[in-house]
Amino acid sequence: MTIPTQLVLRAFLDDPTREMYGLEICAASGLASGTIHPILARFEGIGWLESRFEDVDPHEAARPRRRYYQLTPDGAERARLALAQARTKVGMLRDLTQRPMGGTA
């Protein structure tokens, strides 16, 4: 399991019943949207995630509609198991994503 995949799963497992949209997932995982969206599509394709578009008029909201993602009950269980079996632990990865870029920590 790749490091970005682990970070995305951990973001969802922090509160498995919470719906999150792309930028929230980016912030929670420390990853760019170009990295998370293929991961989200893959997990939705295998049934670990469900998604829905919010019911808002983009013109009134002055922004595009958000697509919200949420773990399915089966997906939450499988995500927990997958992270437990992953070779690289997410806790160590979070430490790496919190360090400032381009400098010494």
Side-chain angles (χ1 to χ4, degrees):
M1 179 180 298
T2 67
I3 291 170
T5 299
Q6 291 180 57
L7 292 170
V8 168
L9 289 178
R10 177 58 56 200
F12 278 104
L13 288 173
D14 282 344
D15 184 355
T17 61
R18 178 179 172 214
E19 287 185 313
M20 292 193 295
Y21 63 94
L23 289 178
E24 290 177 316
I25 300 164
C26 289
S29 66
L31 300 169
S33 67
T35 301
I36 67 156
H37 285 288
I39 295 168
L40 297 173
R42 185 170 60 244
F43 285 136
E44 189 170 19
I46 61 173
W48 290 23
L49 291 176
E50 297 174 328
S51 71
R52 68 171 183 86
F53 282 99
E54 71 179 334
D55 187 24
V56 66
D57 181 352
H59 295 289
E60 288 181 22
R63 62 169 173 76
R65 290 185 313 155
R66 293 176 177 156
R67 185 172 184 173
Y68 284 91
Y69 297 87
Q70 184 177 18
L71 283 169
T72 63
D74 184 55
E77 182 61 29
R78 290 179 180 265
R80 284 186 196 96
L81 291 171
L83 285 175
Q85 294 175 358
R87 291 183 183 196
T88 306
K89 296 299 177 191
V90 174
M92 296 184 314
L93 300 174
R94 285 210 167 162
D95 293 340
L96 293 174
T97 62
Q98 301 301 321
R99 291 184 186 163
M101 303 272 291
T104 58

